[in-house]
Amino acid sequence: MTKKITIAIDGFSSTGKSTIAKQLAKQLGYIYVDTGAMYRAVTLYAMQQNYISETHFNTDDLISDLSNISLSFGFNEEMGFAEMFLNKKNVEKEIRTLEVSKLVSKISTISEVRKKLVSEQQEMGKNKGVVMDGRDIGTVVFPNAELKLFMTASADKRAKRRYKELIDRGDKVNYEEILQNVEERDRIDSTREDSPLILADDAIEFDNSNMGLKDQFNRIMSLVNTAIE
Ligand code: DC
């Protein structure tokens, strides 16, 4: 039997982290954990409880309510990936809206939120055989991961990808607003005090601005094979 490893995929928003993570998990028979979905679910909860909106943010109320937030993933056989559940309710669609995207980086700056999610993520990956994507996987969650990838692409390419995703889903969005959101999240995610998005010393940087999905998959699979050997 080949050895099971931990694959950490970090990078800016909309760099295709989840696409490659899902492909790798399928190919290797590994668990895939989308940690961004967890931060998005906490954001949705905070919005529902009116702890946060575009004009206010009551961090103390959110922090004291954290123990009432239960997150889990449920595998959707038809779609072939795990969907996000918040307090037993499937919120996969709701967490992907632009409204959540606009507030999620603020929620992600709260150390108490990060502490809770990081410990749940470490638990999910403790037996290896996991592909996890996010912003702090190779630096904080699994600093000893055997393979660390850091995905980048130009902001314009990423905004175009996200715009297409939302339009294909039937959302009414405008491109400029998406580009602004991508740039604003990059800024907050990489400058926050707790676990900012940074390139780990031993991560391999991957700019896929001009790379097709097939080419990307083949290149990354060869890195995986080297790490597994
Ligand atoms: O991967 P995503 O775009 O769905 O992530 C949404 C936000 O969650 C992102 O802007 C920052 C935050 N996040 C984080 O702080 N740490 C992670 N490990 C994953 C996501």
Side-chain angles (χ1 to χ4, degrees), residues 35-36 39-40 104-105 108 114 134-136 185 189 192:
T35 65
Y39 288 91
R40 287 172 178 273
V104 65
S105 283
S108 314
R114 305 204 67 83
R135 304 292 188 287
D136 59 345
R185 280 204 289 147
D189 294 345
R192 69 176 171 230

Side-chain angles (χ1 to χ4, degrees), residues 146-212:
E146 289 84 351
L147 180 62
K148 298 182 186 178
L149 301 171
F150 189 94
M151 313 298 288
T152 64
S154 68
D156 173 59
K157 273 263 156 68
R158 293 186 281 129
K160 281 189 179 132
R161 288 177 192 157
R162 185 50 65 107
Y163 177 74
K164 186 172 179 308
E165 245 170 59
L166 292 172
I167 291 289
D168 287 350
R169 270 174 36 142
D171 288 7
K172 288 198 171 42
V173 284
N174 96 25
Y175 172 75
E176 278 308 315
E177 204 181 356
I178 307 268
L179 179 62
Q180 248 178 37
N181 175 250
V182 160
E183 288 175 337
E184 178 65 359
R185 280 204 289 147
D186 287 355
R187 189 186 65 74
I188 302 179
D189 294 345
S190 36
T191 57
R192 69 176 171 230
E193 237 166 77
D194 189 347
S195 323
L197 170 65
I198 46 165
L199 178 71
D201 291 341
D202 50 353
I204 300 165
E205 200 170 346
F206 235 89
D207 186 331
N208 62 16
S209 304
N210 297 307
M211 203 184 287

Side-chain angles (χ1 to χ4, degrees), residues 21-227:
K22 280 180 205 158
Q23 288 175 330
L24 293 177
K26 190 165 177 219
Q27 176 77 17
L28 298 161
Y30 280 17
I31 300 169
Y32 162 54
V33 181
D34 172 358
T35 65
M38 299 170 75
Y39 288 91
R40 287 172 178 273
V42 173
T43 305
L44 181 65
Y45 182 85
M47 288 163 72
Q48 289 167 344
Q49 303 299 321
N50 203 23
Y51 298 147
I52 192 168
S53 72
E54 288 207 38
T55 50
H56 82 286
F57 186 10
N58 189 337
T59 39
D60 291 344
D61 282 358
L62 172 62
I63 292 168
S64 58
D65 204 9
L66 280 178
S67 59
N68 294 316
I69 302 181
S70 153
L71 304 176
S72 55
F73 287 98
F75 198 76
N76 180 327
E77 295 287 347
E78 208 175 302
M79 308 287 283
F81 65 87
E83 295 178 312
M84 188 76 239
F85 285 70
L86 165 64
N87 293 335
K88 301 211 165 71
K89 184 177 177 271
N90 186 332
V91 291
E92 184 58 35
K93 192 151 194 277
E94 284 168 87
I95 60 169
R96 309 286 169 193
T97 59
L98 187 55
E99 286 67 37
V100 171
S101 296
K102 279 185 180 168
L103 299 174
V104 65
S105 283
K106 280 191 197 155
I107 296 285
S108 314
T109 60
I110 311 294
S111 290
E112 287 80 356
V113 171
R114 305 204 67 83
K115 211 167 146 210
K116 172 183 165 78
L117 300 194
V118 167
S119 101
E120 293 179 14
Q121 290 152 11
Q122 287 170 335
E123 181 63 26
M124 287 186 255
K126 69 175 182 212
N127 296 325
K128 298 191 181 257
V130 66
V131 186
M132 199 171 279
D133 77 10
R135 304 292 188 287
D136 59 345
I137 311 305
T139 50
V140 176
V141 183
F142 291 117
N144 297 323
E146 289 84 351
L147 180 62
K148 298 182 186 178
L149 301 171
F150 189 94
M151 313 298 288
T152 64
S154 68
D156 173 59
K157 273 263 156 68
R158 293 186 281 129
K160 281 189 179 132
R161 288 177 192 157
R162 185 50 65 107
Y163 177 74
K164 186 172 179 308
E165 245 170 59
L166 292 172
I167 291 289
D168 287 350
R169 270 174 36 142
D171 288 7
K172 288 198 171 42
V173 284
N174 96 25
Y175 172 75
E176 278 308 315
E177 204 181 356
I178 307 268
L179 179 62
Q180 248 178 37
N181 175 250
V182 160
E183 288 175 337
E184 178 65 359
R185 280 204 289 147
D186 287 355
R187 189 186 65 74
I188 302 179
D189 294 345
S190 36
T191 57
R192 69 176 171 230
E193 237 166 77
D194 189 347
S195 323
L197 170 65
I198 46 165
L199 178 71
D201 291 341
D202 50 353
I204 300 165
E205 200 170 346
F206 235 89
D207 186 331
N208 62 16
S209 304
N210 297 307
M211 203 184 287
L213 282 182
K214 213 169 163 192
D215 187 17
Q216 169 173 278
F217 177 71
N218 291 336
R219 287 182 199 217
I220 293 180
M221 261 320 284
S222 87
L223 296 173
V224 171
N225 288 327
T226 310

